[in-house]
């Protein structure tokens, strides 16, 4: 997409880079406010409002020809995307029994990866036929149709009883969350994990092209596993997140699979395609396990009426971490001329996330909040 923007808008690659990275920066800055809004208004109304705003601003953006106007609209769409993700995840603890939260989180993460996989497959085909502007209009218009179809949900909205609290009870501040060691370490650990996650998403395809000398079709087949492997991994992990002991096992095994898989990938100057796809599947399965367990704990670590703020704080750190590998990986590649240094950093991030999750689990085991439903045993 970047070459298309450069050509159509007559801009530099630096300006195109700002346009593309605006989404990540906005997600980082919007996550905690998104959680606060969801706690105050409820998940379903916020989701509906976001569907409307993303659809409207998305359509407007397809008619733009001025770089700065399109950048502003990109930011507005990104705010809606950031908020709707937090609201969708926060709907799980707000509308589902606590013992089913892990199941819901698993399905949310799986559905997200299904959408990404379909978009990566379908979008180039549609864009080649009718152009990126009409492709974006079709997607944006489909969100408006979804908004209209979902409006009846407001009429029969039945919040979880736990969310029916007074405004004073619901006012957990950012300072209170940051003062909670378990919440703070969980957030930092998530940020560290997302350095690994976005590091491999960004740089593994480049590594396969430059070091393994794969063809575009081989790179595409390998990269597809990032989305496909996350689907069953998310669902299985969600069903296993029933107690802290299992969560500890899932975090240790998941982080280890991701870290060791990355190290194996750079241990050779070439691997056969089937083995590369298997390695990427193992890496993806590993960090998907950790992501789902983090989301499950973040959803339950505070009472349901404040779960949006906790999720918002965790994903503020997550999206902050996702920005790091894009630039750090490029810097290290420029300085060293090889991929090993940055990939070892990504693997180390996966291992460090294990330590963070072990500390969080230990704190919740020894001093669980009164509302926390995940016990250490069965």
């Amino acid at each position: 997409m970047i070459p298309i923007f450069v050509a159509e808008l007559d801009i530099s690659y630096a300006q195109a880079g700002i346009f593309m990275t605006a989404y990540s920066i906005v997600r980082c800055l919007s996550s905690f406010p998104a959680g606060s809004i969801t706690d105050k208004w409820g998940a379903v109304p916020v989701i509906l409002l976001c569907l409307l705003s993303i659809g409207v601003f998305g359509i407007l953006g397809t008619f733009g020809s001025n770089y700065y106007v399109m950048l502003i609209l990109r930011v507005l769409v990104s705010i809606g995307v950031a908020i709707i993700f937090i609201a969708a995840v926060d709907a799980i603890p707000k509308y589902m029994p606590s013992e089913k939260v892990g199941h819901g989180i698993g399905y949310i993460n799986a559905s997200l990866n299904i959408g990404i996989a379909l978009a990566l497959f379908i979008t180039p085909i549609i864009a080649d036929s009718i152009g990126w502007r009409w492709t974006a209009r079709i997607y944006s218009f489909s969100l408006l149709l979804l908004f209209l179809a979902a409006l009846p949900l407001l009429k029969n909205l039945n919040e979880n009883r736990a969310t029916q609290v007074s405004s004073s009870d619901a006012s957990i501040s950012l300072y209170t969350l940051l003062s909670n060691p378990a919440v703070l370490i969980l957030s930092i650990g998530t940020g560290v994990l997302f350095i690994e996650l976005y590091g491999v998403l960004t740089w593994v395809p480049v590594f396969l092209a430059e070091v393994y000398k794969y063809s575009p079709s081989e790179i595409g087949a390998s990269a597809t596993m990032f989305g496909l492997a996350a689907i069953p991994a998310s669902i299985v992990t969600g069903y296993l997140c029933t107690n802290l002991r299992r969560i500890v096992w899932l975090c240790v095994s998941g982080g280890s699979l991701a870290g060791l898989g990355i190290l194996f990938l750079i241990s050779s100057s070439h691997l056969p395609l089937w083995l590369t796809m298997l390695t990427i599947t193992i890496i993806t399965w590993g960090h998907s396990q950790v992501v789902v367990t983090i989301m499950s704990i973040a959803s339950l670590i505070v009472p349901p009426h404040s779960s949006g703020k906790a999720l918002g704080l965790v994903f503020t750190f997550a999206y902050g971490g996702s920005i790091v590998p894009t630039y750090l990986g490029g810097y290290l590649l420029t300085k060293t001329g090889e991929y090993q240094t940055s990939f070892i950093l990504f693997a180390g991030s996966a291992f460090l996330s294990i330590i963070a999750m072990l500390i969080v689990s230990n704190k919740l085991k020894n001093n669980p909040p009164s509302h926390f439903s995940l016990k250490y045993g069965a």
Side-chain angles (χ1 to χ4, degrees), residues 48-239:
L48 291 175
L49 182 61
C50 288
L51 288 173
L52 178 62
S53 65
I54 296 169
V56 170
F57 291 131
I59 290 175
L60 291 176
T62 64
F63 292 99
S65 58
N66 179 276
Y67 169 74
Y68 296 100
V69 172
M70 292 187 68
L71 181 61
I72 291 171
L73 290 169
R74 169 76 169 179
V75 168
L76 292 173
V77 168
S78 300
I79 291 173
V81 172
I83 295 175
I84 199 171
F85 174 74
I86 297 296
V89 177
D90 190 37
I92 303 301
K94 279 183 166 55
Y95 298 102
M96 292 184 69
S98 59
E99 65 272 13
K100 299 290 185 181
V101 164
H103 302 181
I105 295 294
Y107 281 117
I108 284 282
N109 206 54
S111 65
L112 177 65
N113 283 282
I114 290 172
I116 292 172
L118 287 175
L120 289 174
F121 177 74
I122 296 173
T123 301
I125 298 173
I126 301 176
D128 283 343
S129 301
I130 60 177
W132 73 268
R133 292 181 185 269
W134 275 106
T135 303
R137 286 168 194 158
I138 291 172
Y139 287 160
S140 299
F141 186 69
S142 67
L143 292 178
L144 296 179
L145 291 179
L146 183 58
F147 164 77
L148 294 174
L151 270 178
L153 289 174
L154 287 176
K155 296 180 181 179
N156 299 310
L157 193 58
N158 183 25
E159 291 255 8
N160 185 303
R161 184 175 61 184
T163 67
Q164 304 298 325
V165 295
S166 67
S167 58
S168 60
D169 290 334
S171 58
I172 290 182
S173 67
L174 175 60
Y175 176 79
T176 302
L177 287 172
L178 291 173
S179 300
N180 185 325
V183 175
L184 180 59
I185 296 170
L186 180 68
S187 301
I188 295 172
T190 309
V192 171
L193 176 69
F194 270 57
I195 293 175
E196 176 272 327
L197 197 158
Y198 277 82
V200 296
L201 288 175
T202 303
W203 291 106
V204 163
V206 183
F207 171 81
L208 296 180
E210 295 193 354
V211 177
Y212 284 9
K213 306 301 182 184
Y214 277 3
S215 66
S217 61
E218 289 175 318
I219 295 171
S222 300
T224 300
M225 302 314 299
F226 284 124
L228 294 181
I231 297 168
S234 299
I235 295 173
V236 170
T237 303
Y239 273 89

Side-chain angles (χ1 to χ4, degrees), residues 272-345:
L273 179 60
W274 71 268
L275 187 54
T276 299
M277 294 177 68
L278 176 61
T279 304
I280 291 176
T281 298
I282 291 171
I283 293 170
T284 302
W285 191 290
H287 63 224
S288 295
Q289 278 189 190
V290 186
V291 168
V292 172
T293 56
I294 286 173
M295 292 167 68
S296 299
I297 290 180
S299 300
L300 296 169
I301 202 167
V302 297
H305 57 72
S306 295
S307 55
K309 292 180 181 177
L311 286 164
L313 179 62
V314 166
F315 278 96
T316 296
F317 279 81
Y319 295 138
S322 73
I323 299 171
V324 172
T326 303
Y327 300 99
L328 185 58
Y331 173 79
L332 291 173
L333 180 60
T334 302
K335 284 291 185 181
T336 64
E338 41 82 11
Y339 288 89
Q340 277 76 8
T341 303
S342 55
F343 276 45
I344 289 171
L345 172 67

